[in-house]
Amino acid sequence: METKTKAPRRDYFAAWKALRALMKDREDTNQVFKIMQALTGDSLHKQYARFIETDIGTNIIEKKIDLLDTLKNREALAKLPEGSLGREYLNFMITENITAEGLVDASDDSFSHFQDENFERYAMRTREMHDLWHVITGYGRDGLGEFCVVAFSYSQTKSLGFAAIALMGAFDLSKKFKGHGVLGAVMQAFKHGRQAAWLPGQDWENLMAVPLSEIRQMMNIQDPTKYIAASEVSAQTRPDSIVATA
């Protein structure tokens, strides 16, 4: 089940421009997708090849299952047990005042060049997982939490765009918050991503009712101790606090 979509050449200049824009406004999610598109190379193709070799991947592709359908169905998520992945995800989205569809809007035309429906479905699936991974890993949507999730994501996907965002973001924050363990928290997230199960290949639709604590244990998701210890940085890099730290 090879894809017709060719791996793009990396555009380092476009990535640099988007990185600079992202550092000026960390809430500009559109820049993240520009960076990812510029630096993806063949990493997404390698992930897709791995995905379709699994029973879960084959089932999702053959049945044309879209993760977004599950994540945006708040009525169904609200009926799940307290402490389940689905309920915790819903609570996270409500608390942060965001929606699953928000990532779709922010991705702009990043998915318009695909020539293969199956490959596009997998690519979109990886996009929808971002906020789900926040919930699973325990990293918040503050500046440090975002860079930690991105570092974790790089370990999982080997996409150079994630590495660029994590590194530049970590060094930027470490200069503003010297001695607060920023680099250590991001590096720990990278290590935890290497130790965890391969999250892109999980059957998330059927895991929504499972207790979050059970999923973390099952997938070897370690506690983000260094991120938690850097709570002052987290508090000052919340979306509503970013202006004060810029």
Side-chain angles (χ1 to χ4, degrees):
M1 202 186 298
E2 294 184 0
T3 176
K4 300 174 184 177
T5 302
K6 294 182 179 180
R9 297 183 66 177
R10 292 190 172 101
D11 187 340
Y12 296 101
F13 179 68
W16 175 246
K17 286 178 59 179
L19 272 167
R20 292 185 65 183
L22 181 62
M23 291 305 105
K24 290 181 180 179
D25 180 5
R26 299 185 202 118
E27 282 294 283
D28 188 357
T29 311
N30 183 247
Q31 299 302 328
V32 173
F33 289 102
K34 288 182 179 180
I35 295 164
M36 298 306 298
Q37 187 173 16
L39 296 179
T40 290
D42 64 353
S43 62
L44 190 60
H45 287 67
K46 290 180 178 178
Q47 293 173 57
Y48 176 68
R50 180 179 178 182
F51 182 69
I52 59 177
E53 288 180 356
T54 67
D55 291 339
I56 292 172
T58 300
N59 182 63
I60 286 169
I61 295 301
E62 289 182 350
K63 294 183 178 179
K64 302 182 184 301
I65 298 171
D66 293 325
L67 181 58
L68 181 62
D69 292 337
T70 295
L71 298 182
K72 71 180 183 181
N73 191 343
R74 294 195 169 195
E75 183 178 350
L77 294 174
K79 294 177 181 178
L80 294 174
E82 286 284 353
S84 65
L85 173 60
R87 279 293 291 276
E88 292 298 327
Y89 170 79
L90 177 60
N91 292 340
F92 178 82
M93 302 300 276
I94 292 173
T95 299
E96 297 296 331
N97 194 29
I98 55 178
T99 65
E101 297 91 332
L103 286 175
V104 178
D105 297 335
S107 62
D108 197 18
D109 60 351
S110 299
F111 295 81
S112 62
H113 63 288
F114 294 135
Q115 301 170 315
D116 184 321
E117 178 186 354
N118 295 335
F119 184 75
E120 182 178 5
R121 175 163 282 106
Y122 174 73
M124 291 191 296
R125 187 176 181 83
T126 63
R127 174 189 63 193
E128 328 304 5
M129 290 180 199
H130 178 76
D131 290 320
L132 198 59
W133 288 15
H134 269 289
V135 176
I136 294 166
T137 59
Y139 294 114
R141 283 189 67 246
D142 54 273
L144 179 57
E146 289 288 1
F147 295 136
C148 285
V149 167
V150 168
F152 183 99
S153 299
Y154 173 63
S155 293
Q156 290 274 310
T157 66
K158 300 301 184 291
S159 179
L160 192 58
F162 284 133
I165 296 170
L167 283 172
M168 191 164 183
F171 281 112
D172 180 61
L173 278 188
S174 67
K175 288 188 295 183
K176 295 175 180 177
F177 298 95
K178 293 181 180 179
H180 285 76
V182 169
L183 293 178
V186 174
M187 182 55 68
Q188 185 185 58
F190 169 75
K191 291 179 179 178
H192 286 178
R194 293 181 64 182
Q195 295 167 349
W198 192 52
L199 301 193
Q202 302 300 320
D203 188 1
W204 296 117
E205 289 83 356
N206 288 313
L207 288 170
M208 287 296 161
V210 178
L212 177 58
S213 58
E214 191 174 311
I215 289 177
R216 284 175 171 161
Q217 184 176 10
M218 179 173 58
M219 298 183 188
N220 195 31
I221 306 295
Q222 306 295 313
D223 292 336
T225 54
K226 293 188 178 182
Y227 166 73
I228 294 172
S231 57
E232 185 176 338
V233 180
S234 300
Q236 294 190 51
T237 58
R238 288 279 303 159
D240 55 0
S241 305
I242 288 175
V243 175
T245 61

